[in-house]
Amino acid sequence: MILSVASGKGGTGKTLIATSLALSLKGRGKVQLLDCDVEEPNAHIFLKPVISGSEEVLIPVPHVDENTCTRCGKCAEVCAYHAIAVFGEYVLTFPELCHGCGACSYLCPEKAISEEGRESGIVEWGHSDTIEFAHGRLNIGEAMAPPVIRKVKELAHDNGTIIIDAPPGTSCPVVESVRGSDFCLLVTEPTPFGLNDLELAVETMKELDIPCGIVLNRAGFSDDKVEAYCRKENIPILLTIPLDTEIARLYSRGVTLAEGLPEWREGFVELYGKIWEIVDERSRCPQR
Amino acid sequence: MKIAFSAAGADLDAQVDPRFGRCQYFVIVDTDTMEFEAAPNSGATAGGGAGIAAAQQIAGKGLEAVLTGNCGPNAFDVLKAAGIKVFTGVSGSIKEAIESYKAGKFQSTAQPNVSAHSGMGRGRRKG
């Protein structure tokens, strides 16, 4: 089962949930954690994996042979990202804008465009005890996270439980991270921002046709607007974690909930069981 | 001599648009005859690379100079390669700016004066 942990709003506790869940499921079959928040990966701080391998992420960018090129401008016309400009006798490429789609080289009538790899990030893999681990790191100054995220996801096992720690927000990197998941846990907090961004995340998951459930973190200090929203949308709240300075203190030292407060492990195992039931039921009677 | 303005409207009374890549119009003026042509900027609604699209649109028009508010690095590279001088910090109506230009009040810039994406609203972290 592929299980993503996303949130909408940042800082609600995605990594706390993803890492604690992975640790709580230790010894219950194969578990792999993929940290897809390649702009700010942090799951390794908690799982402290031994890294055994790494690979650069290369984006294929155009290289124009200026002698063969007739300056017809087809490449500039088909590039949706304006990563290539043709005017007068000039051809200029802007590799940092290139998404590596290959349209320019494919459609060049003179076959004057070849592709060369440009490094945009790195993926690393290893293990933390019995938990398999992988994460990606986007190079500083790079704008496009999805190619690095795709590379991290290529490292996913074919079986067992795969937990994906997704980036915050609801844009391309999140879509790339959660795509193909059997379930998405949305971690939120009872604040206006938490609710606003939760609504956006729920809409995103609906669009992607991924069933979701809620983890309400830092609960107990605010109104019940998140609960009311979940009731209205018929989304289950699968786990509630109270606002607790001890949890924050542990987390700030790189200690997960599952390790610092082991009594929580049972809660995470139960959480996994509930998710399993939802996914199982859905697979037996598809709603759409 | 032909010069181009990033403009908020399609005539000489229009204000100079401070954004180059995402301006609404380009107004191209022959400063000798004061004849002008206006064209919508194809970069205005581009998903990305707006400055490049905009610069490419006017690069083949035999321009001496581009007058605008701000110009980012990618657009600047295209204009520079096309041999077009770039004047930034220009504001007010196009008519006024032409007079100032003729009087030699502007100095061309040797480098982009803003970073990429400056013409886009300040947004949250996005991909």
Side-chain angles (χ1 to χ4, degrees), chain A residues 37 39-40 76 80-88 90 92 94 96-97 143 167-168 171-173 196-197 200, chain B residues 42-43 46-50 52-53 55-56 59-60 73-75 77-79 81-83 117 124-127:
Chain A
D37 188 1
E39 289 173 82
E40 302 174 293
Y81 310 99
H82 301 108
I84 191 159
V86 182
F87 49 93
Y90 294 96
L92 287 187
F94 295 86
E96 72 281 7
L97 297 182
S171 61
C172 300
N196 179 75
D197 290 8
L200 297 174
Chain B
S42 62
I52 295 166
Q56 194 176 221
N74 293 334
D77 281 353
V78 174
L79 296 171
H117 299 146
R124 285 190 286 178
R125 185 175 160 194
K126 56 191 168 188

Side-chain angles (χ1 to χ4, degrees), chain B residues 46-105:
Chain B
I52 295 166
Q56 194 176 221
Q57 181 183 338
I58 57 171
K61 303 265 186 190
L63 299 174
E64 161 98 8
V66 162
L67 285 78
T68 184
N70 298 303
C71 184
N74 293 334
F76 192 86
D77 281 353
V78 174
L79 296 171
K80 192 176 160 194
I84 300 169
K85 283 185 210 150
V86 180
F87 295 82
T88 55
V90 179
S91 60
S93 76
I94 292 177
K95 261 185 194 151
E96 293 162 5
I98 293 171
E99 292 314 311
S100 301
Y101 179 73
K102 282 181 173 171
K105 286 185 184 166

Side-chain angles (χ1 to χ4, degrees), chain B residues 5 14 31 33 94:
Chain B
F5 289 89
T31 53
T33 62
I94 292 177

